[in-house]
Amino acid sequence: MNKWKLLRRKLRYGFRHKLGFFQEPVVKTEQFGIRAGYRHRPENAFYDDTAQKDQHQREVYEAAAAASKEIGAKKVFDIGCGSGFKLMKFFPDTETVGFDLEPTLSFLRQTYPERQWAAADFERDTDQADIVICADVVEHIPNPDLLMQYLSRITRGKLVISTPDRYRVYGWDHSGPPRNRAHCREWSMDEFRIYVERWFNIEDHRITNFDDSTQMIIGTPRSPAGPVA
């Protein structure tokens, strides 16, 4: 192989490595509902979305507001609420608690001091809510089992959870990790349904935004104790 072909190959490999390809080991068994052979990213990069309004996941919050009205919800939790804009917009007259981490938590308390904000801690039990929203958060979590167990404990009524549909983003043959370095993994619709069903009975599962490839599930907890066998 001449030196120019070798250089092009090295550059191409280096570019793909920078995007996150080939960086993580192949998982040889199913993990978190995702098929064997997928590359999970063990840690995620921090994503600051405090500047965001309702450019993304608007339809998820609309569905959550409709579910809240349907069951007469008195309290709403938003896990990983980000800027808090959508929570304020769609639940202006409902008791809400938005959960996030620093420095986002300080931003929320300064921006909306009249509302309730709390640090997200999946290992600490808290009160329950009639509606729990978790919009495009699960893909950021290194161990999403902890998140799902937490959601099953705090959901008294309905969970509204969303995440990108990997097949719509990349195609059926994508093996990870995601191009977005803030994401540890992404699920196909079939994988996500099977995964969420470990903890929740699914009432609705659909694409809410085709441009963003957002899939959403609405469900009720199977058991407060955690996933079924």
Side-chain angles (χ1 to χ4, degrees), residues 143-163:
N143 183 355
D145 283 356
L146 296 177
L147 170 63
M148 296 306 299
Q149 291 162 10
Y150 176 71
L151 294 175
S152 72
R153 294 197 304 271
I154 66 173
T155 303
R156 179 167 56 227
K158 295 188 178 187
L159 170 72
V160 182
I161 185 170
S162 67
T163 194

Side-chain angles (χ1 to χ4, degrees), residues 68 71-76 93-96 129-131 156:
S68 176
I71 67 173
K74 304 296 184 183
K75 181 179 287 189
V76 174
D93 302 316
T94 305
E95 181 184 356
T96 61
D130 304 300
I131 295 290
R156 179 167 56 227

Side-chain angles (χ1 to χ4, degrees), residues 19-21 23-25 27 31-32 34 38-47 122 136-145 147 163-164 166 170 174-187 195:
L19 288 176
F21 297 104
Q23 195 169 354
E24 315 302 346
V27 176
Q31 189 176 48
F32 307 126
I34 298 177
Y38 186 82
R39 291 179 172 89
H40 301 252
R41 180 174 286 118
E43 298 291 339
N44 65 309
F46 172 72
Y47 176 66
F122 302 153
D136 284 33
V137 172
V138 65
E139 66 273 12
H140 295 265
I141 308 301
N143 183 355
D145 283 356
L147 170 63
T163 194
R166 186 178 78 247
Y170 302 106
H174 179 71
S175 296
R179 283 196 297 263
N180 186 337
R181 298 190 67 81
H183 293 185
C184 293
R185 63 191 59 78
E186 293 168 352
W187 287 261
Y195 184 59

